[in-house]
Amino acid sequence: MQHDLDAVIVGAGFAGLCTLLRLRELGFSARVFERGSGVGGTWYWNRYPGARCDVESMEYSYQFSPELQREWNWSERYAAQPEILRYLEHVASRFDLRRDISFDTAVRAAVFDEDAGRWEIETASGDRVRARFCIMATGCLSSPVTPRFPGLETFAGETFHTGRWPHHPVDFRGKRVGVIGTGSSAVQSIPLIAEQAAQLFVFQRTPTYTIPAHNHPLDPAERERIKAEYPALRERAAQMPFGLDTRATERLALASSEEERREEYEARWQRGGLPFLSGFADLLIEREANDTAAEFVREKIRGIVRDPQLAKRLSPEQVLGCKRLCIDSGYYETFNRPNVTLVDLRDAPIEAITPQGLRTREAAYALDAIVFATGFDAMTGALLAIDIRGRGGVTLTSKWAAGPRTYLGVATAGFPNLFTITGPGSPSVLSNMVPSIEQHAGWIARCLGWTREHGVARIEATAAAEDAWVAHVNEVAGATLFPTCNSWYLGANVPGKPRVFMPYLGFPEYVKKCDEVAAKDYEGFAVA
Ligand code: N01
């Protein structure tokens, strides 16, 4: 292993692979450390039944190589996990990436040596390498959270977390299964687990809004038509607020008639997917506007779920889209099955896991298996799990004790030559992740190239630029309905985590700002 590198990259998912490629193109030496035994990141770990992307496959793919874009044929409108993993494995082979990746290698610490101007990266097995730059491609949703229910370790059956699913097939036939949580992972897995299990109990703390995916095999002619206009599609998507071709309109729900609203919602419901949220420009700004869309979905739930009481308990009340919108294939329908029981934790929270199952304040449930679909320590979890120390030995954990602080979501003051891909303060989870990742990887690679050209040894965000950026991120979020519920965007799902709205809303504005910063010789960064 080379011990003095230009860069170390942590993680070999979409972000790490693309960053490695970008750095190689510019002639930098880089090594990737990956805790898994293969490439894929999110798509390596999340193998639960039904795992698939909620962004259409033709958009959820790299665009850096027109040849790759042309030659890869997605089989479905929304690709399932195995196909996305195959795609990333193909990318790794096609661009010969594996020779620079160390698998089964978790990074334990990254410490900046001020005298040498190098990052010293230590792996879990104690190996050390030094590099001028350290690039964290650790993922936004890669640090799973299992709530500390009393008695968890006493459970006699099997437990699973959707984000750490085993690599072998799991057979729920004949079993009594409990799924805790009703976010995206639960919404995708519940219909399939219900088909297998003898009895399925869904433990719901907050009902969820989900829009039908209307997934289908991609007809080769349709795929070719999209490929023929790929550059235009990518360009159109880059101008939309989420960097995704949602057919966003300028129309306002509150300036439209009841009939116009209904027509728009119905058309988007029939088309399916995340663009439902972009039907009107005020849906995430005005509560009254949002209510009209939320009520439309609640009406759909009442139309799907036969038992009116059950439909009511499945109907969310929070702002639609405030928690990440889910996309499903038969989620609400699953509750019509005789072998599925909804347990509403708002009436009676979980008190304990027992050897036989689970106990709420009101009842005991006998279970053979428990699936934790309880989410992730989003955006900061994977970064703070590494002992990162910058200038003066300051830890990132202490610097971010009151919440993450970054400049553009790529850098943080006090930590020279450290970059984060889709870090807090960047569009990341409020955008189509793949284009966001590519934009970051490209921007960071160019920045490294610039430091080389200009003989710059260190580049570090200034505290002033960071303060201004943090204020701006908050201001943008504060003008929306996003901060109104207990979402993981705010860190609200992790007990004790500071409540800070972490992603930046507005992909096109963000890209423009990053380009301006670069054009002004990295304005807001101090160099030495
Ligand atoms: O996690 P979540 P996820 N007791 O945090 C509940 C992406 N993703 O893995 O809402 C009882 O959304 C919690 O309840 P509440 C996507 O961005 C994408 O499903 O906090 N319940 C919630 O219902 C997504 O948003 C896809 O009240 C507890 C659930 O667990 C993100 O990953 C697929 C609890 C957690 O939901 C995370 O999704 C999957 C407790 N103590 C994931 N603690 C795609 O489609 C938590 N819960 C691409």
Side-chain angles (χ1 to χ4, degrees):
M1 195 188 289
Q2 197 176 335
H3 285 272
D4 200 359
L5 296 151
D6 290 319
V8 156
I9 300 165
V10 186
F14 265 103
L17 296 184
C18 176
T19 307
L20 174 60
L21 250 162
R22 283 294 183 223
L23 293 190
R24 259 198 206 166
E25 279 166 5
L26 294 180
F28 288 112
S29 60
R31 176 123 222 115
V32 179
F33 291 120
E34 165 57 54
R35 108 181 23 245
S37 304
V39 299
T42 283
W43 302 104
Y44 174 88
W45 297 106
N46 285 265
R47 295 171 187 241
Y48 60 83
R52 69 175 69 244
C53 190
D54 58 4
V55 170
E56 297 192 33
S57 48
M58 298 298 285
E59 282 194 73
Y60 193 78
S61 46
Y62 291 124
Q63 52 192 301
F64 64 79
S65 158
E67 296 77 28
L68 172 68
Q69 200 163 247
R70 233 185 349 262
E71 75 198 14
W72 184 263
N73 289 320
W74 293 105
S75 69
E76 291 180 273
R77 179 180 179 193
Y78 296 97
Q81 175 270 333
E83 189 172 18
I84 303 175
L85 188 56
R86 273 202 304 282
Y87 170 76
L88 288 169
E89 284 168 349
H90 169 74
V91 170
S93 302
R94 195 187 189 288
F95 297 96
D96 188 20
L97 297 178
R98 288 189 187 83
R99 67 182 155 89
D100 287 326
I101 306 176
S102 301
F103 293 107
D104 300 306
T105 307
V107 168
R108 196 197 67 74
V111 178
F112 188 65
D113 175 340
E114 288 185 61
D115 298 330
R118 293 284 185 277
W119 281 93
E120 188 160 295
I121 286 94
E122 188 185 325
T123 69
S125 57
D127 289 337
R128 288 180 185 190
V129 293
R130 291 163 86 76
R132 277 184 59 215
F133 295 95
C134 180
I135 304 176
M136 295 296 176
T138 41
C140 295
L141 294 155
S142 49
S143 188
V145 172
T146 302
R148 294 205 181 111
F149 295 116
L152 181 56
E153 63 299 338
T154 68
F155 182 56
E158 284 184 291
T159 58
F160 304 91
H161 191 290
T162 49
R164 284 288 180 272
W165 203 260
H167 288 202
H168 57 80
V170 176
D171 189 357
F172 289 123
R173 276 177 301 181
K175 300 211 167 125
R176 298 160 302 181
V177 182
V179 173
I180 304 180
T182 51
S184 297
S185 304
V187 161
Q188 290 185 332
S189 55
I190 281 169
L192 294 177
I193 297 176
E195 280 175 16
Q196 266 203 355
Q199 186 68 39
L200 172 63
F201 296 93
V202 176
F203 297 93
Q204 169 190 273
R205 187 165 71 179
T206 310
T208 195
Y209 293 103
T210 163
I211 308 296
H214 298 310
N215 188 34
H216 55 75
L218 268 182
D219 168 42
E222 187 187 355
R223 200 167 51 212
E224 289 312 309
R225 184 190 56 72
I226 300 173
K227 280 190 189 181
E229 64 126 12
Y230 238 139
L233 166 66
R234 299 296 201 175
E235 184 48 38
R236 198 163 61 237
Q239 298 313 319
M240 305 259 169
F242 302 114
L244 189 66
D245 186 19
T246 55
R247 291 162 186 79
T249 72
E250 296 293 310
R251 285 202 303 165
L252 301 178
L254 292 183
S256 305
S257 68
E258 169 71 32
E259 212 176 2
E260 287 166 334
R261 285 196 296 259
R262 181 164 284 282
E263 198 179 310
E264 185 69 31
Y265 296 143
E266 187 61 39
R268 284 179 186 258
W269 181 271
Q270 293 308 333
R271 187 173 153 71
L274 294 174
F276 185 84
L277 258 183
S278 302
F280 293 99
D282 51 353
L283 290 186
L284 287 165
I285 309 288
E286 299 285 348
R287 179 76 204 231
E288 212 184 318
N290 192 279
D291 282 343
T292 64
E295 185 47 32
F296 177 88
V297 177
R298 287 190 288 265
E299 205 178 296
K300 288 289 184 192
I301 299 172
R302 291 194 288 274
I304 296 170
V305 180
R306 288 195 288 269
D307 172 350
Q309 281 313 313
L310 185 55
K312 190 154 188 276
R313 282 190 286 136
L314 284 165
S315 294
E317 290 299 329
Q318 72 272 12
V319 162
L320 178 130
C322 177
K323 287 178 184 244
R324 168 87 173 201
L325 192 61
C326 299
I327 307 303
D328 73 285
S329 298
Y331 175 71
Y332 296 125
E333 288 84 345
T334 298
F335 292 89
N336 289 328
R337 295 177 66 105
N339 68 331
V340 176
T341 305
L342 181 75
V343 181
D344 196 335
L345 300 175
R346 289 169 299 179
D347 303 337
I350 296 172
E351 278 190 346
I353 309 282
T354 64
Q356 299 76 29
L358 182 159
R359 196 178 70 236
T360 69
R361 202 165 58 207
E362 275 176 358
Y365 298 87
L367 301 170
D368 303 305
I370 300 178
V371 174
F372 292 94
T374 43
F376 302 88
D377 184 351
M379 307 205 67
T380 56
L383 289 168
L384 297 180
I386 299 172
D387 182 7
I388 301 175
R389 292 167 193 256
R391 273 193 296 111
V394 173
T395 64
L396 190 62
T397 310
S398 62
K399 176 170 177 194
W400 286 4
R405 299 184 66 76
T406 71
Y407 180 38
L408 303 174
V410 290
T412 186
F415 295 77
N417 295 4
L418 176 79
F419 292 99
T420 48
I421 307 275
T422 63
S426 74
S428 57
V429 293
L430 284 183
S431 69
N432 181 2
M433 285 302 289
V434 183
S436 270
I437 282 168
E438 285 193 74
Q439 185 257 342
H440 265 189
W443 192 91
I444 292 167
R446 277 195 302 279
C447 175
L448 265 56
W450 180 87
T451 63
R452 186 173 55 190
E453 263 170 46
H454 291 79
V456 166
R458 293 177 200 198
I459 181 160
E460 178 186 338
T462 65
E466 179 173 291
D467 289 347
W469 184 251
V470 170
H472 176 60
V473 172
N474 284 326
E475 189 191 352
V476 172
T480 71
L481 298 170
F482 276 111
T484 61
C485 68
N486 292 324
S487 70
W488 58 254
Y489 297 135
L490 274 169
N493 63 322
V494 178
K497 187 167 173 171
R499 270 185 180 241
V500 173
F501 192 78
M502 294 181 282
Y504 177 69
L505 182 63
F507 182 77
E509 296 80 6
Y510 175 81
V511 174
K512 190 160 164 262
K513 169 76 179 171
C514 287
D515 290 346
E516 282 168 9
V517 166
K520 291 181 186 164
D521 283 349
Y522 298 91
E523 186 182 47
F525 286 87
V527 296

